[in-house]
């Protein structure tokens, strides 16, 4: 395992988005965690929402005085094949779950667990990848409660995967889900619900000055923001439905002159499906000069794309939460998204964007056209979107809920 390098963060810097009462409550919770060592474990330092969350949560907790570490698993490629299959299975469509796959999972989680040589007072395990380390955690930190944080869409999980993962999750002390509808799908003690959040100070989300925006816009050339732009920012993953977005764009471009589509995707370290899907999407788009398939953009470039696009699309088939939706809304860009997983928590239909059924390409295209044709509506949606995210989906709110959960889990299990 390795500890990723982290940006500096100071809670004081959040003064524009945090009221005095919340700051007081955060400090009080942090003081109750004085002397407590907390460890987060997940399976990638970059790419995807979990890494995005930890990159902010961990340094702000440290700044608040909560002794917090983050370790990322290191594993052979076959482990990530298995854990992506587990992810897909829990989201409802995995391949047959073989004994060989289970053995690979156990081998790599045992190997990573053997590297745990420091003692912590509370361990937070993110998603199913590190759950196999439970034996080792129980052995080396017998008194430390384990919190499992599930970031997956559990709307309709496959039984074989559910049962394998539940054998671990029923042994943890507390489980956190991103949406209340997921509670009850899995055998866990003490479930609670905490919505994820975006970090308004991260390079990806902070306000950029006009010169920085102009420079990034130039770098994104030949994508031109002088013509209408629809954007999607997502890992290349079948659940993110880039092909559905392409089809919706094609239909919308029959109505909107000069429409362009930017499909931006990174390759998460723990997602072996990315490259193959990227190649298929890029192949599908190759004949249309107005479709731009972009990879490995910097956080600043993603910021500019989400800010400068006229509409963002998130037509996922499953979505645990979907940070990209709040990222776009925070930048006052309306989002057309499917009515699945965490997306309807973020899009207020007809107010900050539009919700469509996950398989409704024609509906998505209609909503794109109506937003692209109406500058005033886009502006009004954008303003409401910013307020909606400010109230519900910024880091300080999530931090308070997390720290409060840690305090109560430690009290219950002392
Ligand atoms: N992301 C990125 N570059 C990309 C694609 C995605 O930085 O090319 C980031 C995106 O901005 C967001 C995260 O990866 O912060 C994706 O999180 P989300 O919850 O939307 O989806 P997940 O990948 O966890 O399923």
């Amino acid at each position: 395992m390795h500890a990723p390098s982290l940006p500096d963060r100071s809670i004081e810097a959040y003064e524009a988005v945090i009221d005095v009462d919340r700051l007081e409550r955060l400090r009080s919770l942090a003081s109750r965690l004085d002397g407590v060592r907390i460890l987060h474990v997940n399976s990638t330092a970059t790419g995807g929402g979990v890494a995005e969350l930890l990159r902010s949560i961990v340094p702000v907790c440290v700044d608040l005085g909560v002794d917090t570490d983050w370790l990322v698993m290191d594993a052979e490629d076959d482990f990530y094949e298995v854990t992506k299959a587990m992810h897909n299975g829990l989201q409802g469509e995995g391949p047959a779950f073989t004994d060989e796959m289970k053995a690979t999972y156990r081998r790599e989680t045992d190997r990573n667990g053997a590297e745990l040589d420091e003692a912590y007072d509370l361990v937070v395990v993110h998603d199913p990848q590190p759950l196999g380390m439970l034996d080792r955690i129980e052995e080396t930190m017998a008194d430390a409660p384990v919190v499992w944080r599930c970031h997956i869409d559990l709307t309709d999980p496959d039984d074989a995967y559910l049962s394998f993962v539940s054998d671990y999750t029923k042994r943890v002390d507390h489980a956190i889900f991103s949406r209340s509808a997921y509670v009850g799908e899995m055998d866990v003690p003490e479930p609670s619900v905490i919505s994820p959040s975006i970090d308004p100070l991260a390079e990806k989300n902070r306000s950029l000055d006009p010169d920085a925006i102009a420079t990034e816009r130039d770098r994104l050339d030949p994508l031109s923001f002088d013509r209408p732009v629809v954007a999607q920012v997502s890992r290349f993953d079948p659940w993110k439905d880039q092909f559905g977005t392409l089809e919706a764009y094609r239909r919308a471009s029959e109505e909107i002159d000069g429409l362009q589509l930017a499909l931006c995707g990174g390759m998460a370290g723990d997602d072996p499906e990315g490259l193959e899907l990227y190649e298929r999407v890029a192949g599908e788009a190759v004949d249309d000069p107005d479709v731009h398939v972009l990879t490995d953009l910097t956080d600043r470039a993603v910021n500019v794309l989400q800010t400068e696009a006229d509409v963002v699309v998130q037509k996922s088939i499953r979505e645990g939460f979907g940070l990209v939706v709040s990222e776009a809304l925070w930048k006052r860009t309306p989002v057309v998204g499917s009515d699945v997983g965490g997306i309807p928590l973020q899009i207020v239909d007809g107010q900050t964007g539009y919700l469509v059924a996950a398989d409704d390409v024609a509906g998505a295209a209609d909503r794109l056209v109506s937003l692209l044709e109406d500058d005033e509506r886009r502006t009004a949606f954008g303003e409401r979107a910013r307020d909606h995210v400010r109230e519900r989906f910024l880091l300080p709110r999530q931090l308070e809920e997390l720290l409060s959960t840690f305090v109560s889990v430690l009290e219950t299990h002392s």
Side-chain angles (χ1 to χ4, degrees):
M1 288 197 286
H2 66 278
S5 61
L6 290 169
D8 284 334
R9 282 282 186 279
S10 147
I11 190 68
E12 306 289 345
Y14 291 82
E15 65 179 349
V17 293
I18 191 171
D19 59 50
V20 179
D21 291 350
R22 194 184 299 278
L23 186 57
E24 292 278 304
R25 291 195 299 272
L26 276 172
R27 291 205 188 285
S28 154
L29 287 164
S31 73
R32 292 170 72 185
L33 293 167
D34 190 30
V36 171
R37 293 196 74 202
I38 296 176
L39 172 66
H40 292 265
V41 187
N42 83 318
S43 62
T44 182
T46 54
V50 182
E52 185 78 17
L53 289 175
L54 289 172
R55 192 158 290 284
S56 297
I57 288 170
V58 173
V60 180
C61 283
V62 170
D63 180 70
L64 279 163
V66 182
D67 188 349
T68 308
D69 285 340
W70 171 18
L71 289 176
V72 175
M73 300 175 75
D74 293 314
E76 300 294 330
D77 290 349
D78 57 353
F79 175 73
Y80 300 113
E81 299 280 347
V82 171
T83 55
K84 186 68 200 288
M86 289 168 77
H87 176 96
N88 290 343
L90 290 174
Q91 296 211 138
E93 204 172 299
F97 198 15
T98 64
D99 289 345
E100 192 187 343
M101 291 162 76
K102 293 175 191 172
T104 300
Y105 179 80
R106 292 192 184 103
R107 182 194 75 217
E108 292 297 316
T109 51
D110 283 353
R111 207 168 55 76
N112 276 269
E115 292 174 24
L116 272 182
D117 47 13
E118 287 187 49
Y120 290 89
D121 302 295
L122 184 139
V123 181
V124 188
V125 167
H126 293 264
D127 278 345
Q129 293 93 331
L131 275 173
M133 295 163 64
L134 272 183
D135 286 341
R136 174 70 179 172
I137 294 169
E138 286 165 1
E139 207 177 286
T140 55
M141 300 170 235
D143 297 329
V146 177
V147 174
W148 184 55
R149 186 157 190 194
C150 176
H151 301 271
I152 289 174
D153 183 335
L154 289 178
T155 303
D156 186 20
D158 174 305
D159 286 344
Y161 288 93
L162 190 62
S163 136
F164 182 80
V165 172
S166 291
D167 281 345
Y168 292 105
T169 58
K170 62 189 172 202
R171 290 164 54 195
V172 305
D173 298 285
H174 187 96
I176 300 173
F177 297 93
S178 301
R179 185 185 178 211
S180 54
Y182 305 150
V183 178
E185 283 298 334
M186 195 167 268
D187 190 1
V188 287
E190 290 190 21
S192 65
V193 177
I194 299 181
S195 295
S197 62
I198 63 163
D199 180 352
L201 301 188
E203 186 68 7
K204 185 174 292 169
N205 298 315
R206 71 185 182 86
S207 299
L208 296 171
D209 63 53
D211 285 350
I213 292 180
T215 305
E216 290 303 327
R217 281 174 58 130
D218 287 349
R219 286 204 180 115
L220 288 166
D221 183 76
L223 179 67
S224 163
F225 294 95
D226 299 329
R227 291 194 277 135
V229 174
V230 166
Q232 175 173 347
V233 177
S234 301
R235 286 178 295 109
F236 288 102
D237 176 322
W239 299 111
K240 308 289 185 184
D241 197 22
Q242 276 95 349
F243 288 106
T245 300
L246 260 170
E247 186 52 33
Y249 149 80
R250 282 185 180 134
R251 291 180 189 217
S253 62
E254 288 168 15
E255 314 272 330
I256 305 288
D257 278 351
L259 183 62
Q260 302 157 94
L261 172 66
L263 289 172
C264 160
M267 309 293 166
D270 60 351
D271 184 354
E273 286 185 300
L275 187 58
E276 190 208 321
L277 195 68
Y278 161 73
E279 283 169 353
R280 282 177 46 217
V281 171
E284 179 76 19
V286 76
D287 294 329
D288 185 341
D290 286 330
V291 178
H292 302 265
V293 183
L294 310 165
T295 53
D296 301 322
L297 294 192
T298 61
D299 282 356
R300 183 179 286 207
V302 171
N303 184 336
V304 169
L305 183 60
Q306 291 170 327
T307 305
E308 299 289 289
D310 297 285
V311 184
V312 157
V313 180
Q314 195 60 40
K315 242 196 58 47
S316 307
I317 295 159
R318 291 275 192 280
E319 192 63 75
F321 180 73
L323 288 177
V324 284
V325 175
S326 279
E327 288 170 1
L329 296 174
W330 177 240
K331 293 160 190 133
R332 301 186 173 86
T333 304
V335 182
V336 174
S338 34
D339 193 3
V340 301
I343 296 177
L345 301 176
Q346 301 174 76
I347 297 178
V348 185
D349 191 33
Q351 300 287 318
T352 65
Y354 289 110
L355 290 168
V356 294
D359 59 358
D360 187 5
V361 169
D366 285 349
R367 293 312 198 182
L368 285 177
V369 170
S370 68
L371 276 169
L372 290 164
E373 283 179 338
D374 190 339
D375 295 353
E376 275 177 28
R377 191 173 346 154
R378 283 203 313 283
T379 305
F381 277 31
E383 289 305 324
R384 281 197 290 267
R386 175 104 175 167
D387 290 344
H388 186 70
V389 174
R390 187 195 307 277
E391 280 161 27
R392 292 171 180 79
F393 300 119
L394 293 185
L395 181 67
R397 186 271 314 151
Q398 187 195 190
L399 269 183
E400 185 181 344
E401 293 180 14
L402 271 183
L403 293 188
S404 158
T405 302
F406 296 164
V407 166
S408 82
V409 169
L410 283 161
E411 279 174 5
T412 310
H413 297 276
S414 63

